Short mmCIF file of all heavy atoms in Angstrom, two decimals:
data_model
loop_
_atom_site.label_atom_id
_atom_site.label_comp_id
_atom_site.label_asym_id
_atom_site.label_seq_id
_atom_site.Cartn_x
_atom_site.Cartn_y
_atom_site.Cartn_z
N LYS A 16 0.84 -1.18 0.02
CA LYS A 16 0.01 0.01 -0.02
C LYS A 16 0.90 1.25 0.00
O LYS A 16 0.59 2.27 -0.62
CB LYS A 16 -0.96 0.00 1.15
CG LYS A 16 -2.00 -1.06 1.22
CD LYS A 16 -2.78 -1.10 2.48
CE LYS A 16 -3.72 -2.26 2.55
NZ LYS A 16 -4.48 -2.35 3.76
N VAL A 17 1.96 1.24 0.75
CA VAL A 17 2.95 2.29 0.71
C VAL A 17 3.51 2.49 -0.65
O VAL A 17 3.57 3.61 -1.17
CB VAL A 17 4.06 2.11 1.83
CG1 VAL A 17 5.05 3.24 1.69
CG2 VAL A 17 3.50 2.13 3.14
N LEU A 18 3.91 1.44 -1.24
CA LEU A 18 4.44 1.47 -2.62
C LEU A 18 3.40 2.09 -3.57
O LEU A 18 3.76 2.93 -4.41
CB LEU A 18 4.83 0.04 -3.14
CG LEU A 18 5.12 -0.10 -4.63
CD1 LEU A 18 6.39 0.69 -5.05
CD2 LEU A 18 5.31 -1.61 -4.90
N ALA A 19 2.17 1.61 -3.52
CA ALA A 19 1.08 2.15 -4.41
C ALA A 19 0.88 3.58 -4.26
O ALA A 19 0.77 4.34 -5.20
CB ALA A 19 -0.15 1.33 -4.14
N THR A 20 0.80 4.04 -2.94
CA THR A 20 0.54 5.38 -2.62
C THR A 20 1.64 6.29 -3.09
O THR A 20 1.49 7.41 -3.70
CB THR A 20 0.23 5.61 -1.18
OG1 THR A 20 -0.92 4.81 -0.82
CG2 THR A 20 -0.12 7.05 -0.86
N GLU A 21 2.91 5.90 -2.75
CA GLU A 21 4.04 6.76 -3.12
C GLU A 21 4.36 6.84 -4.66
O GLU A 21 4.51 7.90 -5.20
CB GLU A 21 5.34 6.23 -2.42
CG GLU A 21 5.30 6.34 -0.95
CD GLU A 21 5.16 7.81 -0.43
OE1 GLU A 21 5.86 8.69 -1.01
OE2 GLU A 21 4.41 7.97 0.45
N ALA A 22 4.12 5.71 -5.31
CA ALA A 22 4.34 5.71 -6.79
C ALA A 22 3.18 6.54 -7.42
O ALA A 22 3.52 7.25 -8.37
CB ALA A 22 4.24 4.28 -7.35
N THR A 23 1.97 6.41 -6.97
CA THR A 23 0.87 7.12 -7.55
C THR A 23 0.98 8.63 -7.21
O THR A 23 0.65 9.54 -8.06
CB THR A 23 -0.46 6.66 -7.01
OG1 THR A 23 -0.58 5.26 -7.20
CG2 THR A 23 -1.69 7.36 -7.65
N ALA A 24 1.57 9.00 -6.09
CA ALA A 24 1.70 10.36 -5.71
C ALA A 24 2.74 11.11 -6.65
O ALA A 24 2.51 12.27 -7.07
CB ALA A 24 2.19 10.55 -4.25
N LEU A 25 3.75 10.45 -7.07
CA LEU A 25 4.70 10.98 -8.05
C LEU A 25 4.04 11.35 -9.37
O LEU A 25 4.35 12.34 -9.91
CB LEU A 25 5.87 10.02 -8.20
CG LEU A 25 6.92 9.90 -7.17
CD1 LEU A 25 7.94 8.79 -7.55
CD2 LEU A 25 7.63 11.23 -6.97
N LEU A 26 3.12 10.51 -9.83
CA LEU A 26 2.50 10.67 -11.12
C LEU A 26 1.23 11.56 -11.03
O LEU A 26 1.13 12.42 -11.84
CB LEU A 26 2.18 9.35 -11.75
CG LEU A 26 1.38 9.42 -13.07
CD1 LEU A 26 2.26 10.11 -14.11
CD2 LEU A 26 1.07 7.97 -13.51
N HIS A 27 0.43 11.37 -10.08
CA HIS A 27 -0.93 11.97 -10.04
C HIS A 27 -1.06 12.92 -8.97
O HIS A 27 -2.12 13.65 -8.84
CB HIS A 27 -2.03 10.92 -9.96
CG HIS A 27 -2.15 9.96 -11.10
ND1 HIS A 27 -2.50 10.44 -12.33
CD2 HIS A 27 -1.92 8.67 -11.28
CE1 HIS A 27 -2.54 9.43 -13.19
NE2 HIS A 27 -2.14 8.38 -12.56
N GLY A 28 -0.06 13.12 -8.05
CA GLY A 28 -0.17 13.99 -6.97
C GLY A 28 -0.64 13.29 -5.66
O GLY A 28 -1.33 12.30 -5.72
N ARG A 29 -0.23 13.85 -4.54
CA ARG A 29 -0.53 13.22 -3.24
C ARG A 29 -2.02 13.10 -3.02
O ARG A 29 -2.41 12.05 -2.46
CB ARG A 29 0.17 14.04 -2.18
CG ARG A 29 0.00 13.51 -0.71
CD ARG A 29 0.73 12.23 -0.53
NE ARG A 29 2.15 12.32 -0.79
CZ ARG A 29 2.95 11.17 -0.69
NH1 ARG A 29 2.50 10.10 -0.31
NH2 ARG A 29 4.23 11.32 -0.95
N ALA A 30 -2.75 14.13 -3.35
CA ALA A 30 -4.26 14.05 -3.02
C ALA A 30 -4.94 12.94 -3.74
O ALA A 30 -5.68 12.15 -3.09
CB ALA A 30 -4.86 15.39 -3.41
N LYS A 31 -4.62 12.69 -5.03
CA LYS A 31 -5.25 11.65 -5.82
C LYS A 31 -4.75 10.22 -5.33
O LYS A 31 -5.51 9.27 -5.31
CB LYS A 31 -4.98 11.79 -7.22
CG LYS A 31 -5.81 12.92 -7.89
CD LYS A 31 -5.69 12.90 -9.34
CE LYS A 31 -6.63 14.07 -9.89
NZ LYS A 31 -6.52 14.11 -11.43
N ALA A 32 -3.45 10.18 -4.91
CA ALA A 32 -2.93 8.93 -4.34
C ALA A 32 -3.68 8.51 -3.09
O ALA A 32 -4.04 7.36 -2.86
CB ALA A 32 -1.43 9.11 -4.10
N GLN A 33 -3.85 9.52 -2.21
CA GLN A 33 -4.57 9.18 -0.94
C GLN A 33 -6.00 8.90 -1.17
O GLN A 33 -6.59 8.03 -0.55
CB GLN A 33 -4.41 10.38 0.03
CG GLN A 33 -2.96 10.56 0.51
CD GLN A 33 -2.71 11.80 1.36
OE1 GLN A 33 -3.51 12.78 1.22
NE2 GLN A 33 -1.67 11.81 2.14
N GLU A 34 -6.62 9.54 -2.13
CA GLU A 34 -7.97 9.31 -2.47
C GLU A 34 -8.11 7.81 -2.98
O GLU A 34 -9.08 7.09 -2.63
CB GLU A 34 -8.49 10.25 -3.54
CG GLU A 34 -9.96 10.03 -3.93
CD GLU A 34 -10.41 10.91 -5.05
OE1 GLU A 34 -9.67 11.92 -5.38
OE2 GLU A 34 -11.54 10.75 -5.57
N ALA A 35 -7.22 7.42 -3.88
CA ALA A 35 -7.20 6.04 -4.42
C ALA A 35 -7.01 5.04 -3.26
O ALA A 35 -7.66 3.99 -3.23
CB ALA A 35 -6.13 5.88 -5.44
N ALA A 36 -6.14 5.32 -2.35
CA ALA A 36 -5.86 4.47 -1.19
C ALA A 36 -7.08 4.34 -0.34
O ALA A 36 -7.55 3.19 0.07
CB ALA A 36 -4.67 4.98 -0.36
N GLU A 37 -7.81 5.41 -0.13
CA GLU A 37 -9.03 5.44 0.66
C GLU A 37 -10.15 4.67 -0.05
O GLU A 37 -10.91 3.97 0.60
CB GLU A 37 -9.47 6.87 1.05
CG GLU A 37 -10.75 6.92 1.80
CD GLU A 37 -10.78 6.26 3.13
OE1 GLU A 37 -9.69 5.84 3.60
OE2 GLU A 37 -11.88 6.01 3.66
N THR A 38 -10.26 4.95 -1.32
CA THR A 38 -11.28 4.19 -2.14
C THR A 38 -11.05 2.66 -2.05
O THR A 38 -11.94 1.95 -1.88
CB THR A 38 -11.24 4.66 -3.62
OG1 THR A 38 -11.56 6.02 -3.69
CG2 THR A 38 -12.24 3.89 -4.44
N ALA A 39 -9.73 2.25 -2.13
CA ALA A 39 -9.49 0.90 -2.07
C ALA A 39 -9.83 0.27 -0.71
O ALA A 39 -10.30 -0.76 -0.58
CB ALA A 39 -7.99 0.64 -2.34
N ARG A 40 -9.50 1.12 0.28
CA ARG A 40 -9.77 0.63 1.67
C ARG A 40 -11.21 0.38 1.90
O ARG A 40 -11.64 -0.63 2.40
CB ARG A 40 -9.20 1.66 2.77
CG ARG A 40 -9.35 1.19 4.21
CD ARG A 40 -9.25 2.38 5.14
NE ARG A 40 -10.29 3.24 5.02
CZ ARG A 40 -11.49 3.04 5.61
NH1 ARG A 40 -11.78 1.89 6.25
NH2 ARG A 40 -12.48 3.96 5.52
N ARG A 41 -12.02 1.34 1.41
CA ARG A 41 -13.51 1.20 1.56
C ARG A 41 -14.05 0.03 0.78
O ARG A 41 -14.93 -0.68 1.25
CB ARG A 41 -14.17 2.51 1.12
CG ARG A 41 -13.96 3.66 2.05
CD ARG A 41 -14.57 4.94 1.53
NE ARG A 41 -16.06 4.73 1.42
CZ ARG A 41 -16.78 5.33 0.53
NH1 ARG A 41 -16.27 6.21 -0.27
NH2 ARG A 41 -18.14 5.17 0.52
N ALA A 42 -13.50 -0.11 -0.44
CA ALA A 42 -14.01 -1.18 -1.33
C ALA A 42 -13.64 -2.59 -0.82
O ALA A 42 -14.40 -3.52 -0.77
CB ALA A 42 -13.48 -0.99 -2.71
N PHE A 43 -12.34 -2.65 -0.30
CA PHE A 43 -11.85 -3.96 0.05
C PHE A 43 -12.16 -4.40 1.57
O PHE A 43 -12.50 -5.50 1.80
CB PHE A 43 -10.28 -4.05 -0.17
CG PHE A 43 -9.87 -3.61 -1.46
CD1 PHE A 43 -8.55 -3.18 -1.73
CD2 PHE A 43 -10.71 -3.69 -2.57
CE1 PHE A 43 -8.18 -2.78 -2.93
CE2 PHE A 43 -10.28 -3.33 -3.88
CZ PHE A 43 -9.05 -2.92 -4.10
N GLU A 44 -11.96 -3.37 2.41
CA GLU A 44 -12.09 -3.65 3.86
C GLU A 44 -13.47 -3.40 4.41
O GLU A 44 -13.87 -4.19 5.27
CB GLU A 44 -11.04 -2.80 4.55
CG GLU A 44 -9.60 -3.19 4.19
CD GLU A 44 -8.54 -2.19 4.72
OE1 GLU A 44 -8.92 -1.48 5.64
OE2 GLU A 44 -7.45 -2.25 4.27
N ASP A 45 -14.23 -2.47 3.80
CA ASP A 45 -15.50 -2.21 4.27
C ASP A 45 -16.64 -2.78 3.38
O ASP A 45 -17.77 -2.71 3.72
CB ASP A 45 -15.68 -0.70 4.52
CG ASP A 45 -14.78 -0.11 5.48
OD1 ASP A 45 -14.13 -0.83 6.24
OD2 ASP A 45 -14.63 1.19 5.49
N GLY A 46 -16.22 -3.13 2.16
CA GLY A 46 -17.20 -3.64 1.23
C GLY A 46 -18.14 -2.52 0.72
O GLY A 46 -19.28 -2.84 0.26
N ALA A 47 -17.68 -1.29 0.74
CA ALA A 47 -18.56 -0.21 0.44
C ALA A 47 -18.65 -0.04 -1.09
O ALA A 47 -17.80 -0.58 -1.80
CB ALA A 47 -18.08 1.12 1.01
N GLN A 48 -19.65 0.74 -1.54
CA GLN A 48 -19.78 1.00 -3.04
C GLN A 48 -18.89 2.10 -3.44
O GLN A 48 -19.20 2.82 -4.38
CB GLN A 48 -21.24 1.35 -3.29
CG GLN A 48 -22.13 0.20 -3.36
CD GLN A 48 -22.05 -0.45 -4.78
OE1 GLN A 48 -21.29 -0.09 -5.59
NE2 GLN A 48 -22.94 -1.43 -4.98
N ALA A 49 -17.82 2.34 -2.81
CA ALA A 49 -16.84 3.50 -3.00
C ALA A 49 -16.98 4.29 -4.33
O ALA A 49 -16.84 3.68 -5.43
CB ALA A 49 -15.44 3.01 -2.90
#
């Protein structure tokens, strides 16, 4: 997850990387319709 967030932040910016990480967390861990 750290690799994914740091690599994504370089390309898309920190905000979009953290948004992607949170979307994944909700989808995978909470089963939400993120």
Side-chain angles (χ1 to χ4, degrees):
K16 293 175 186 177
V17 172
L18 168 63
T20 301
E21 294 300 316
T23 304
L25 284 176
L26 177 62
H27 294 293
R29 181 66 58 181
K31 287 187 177 180
Q33 291 174 340
E34 180 183 351
E37 175 60 15
T38 297
R40 187 195 67 77
R41 292 178 59 209
F43 307 157
E44 298 170 12
D45 297 346
Q48 279 277 7

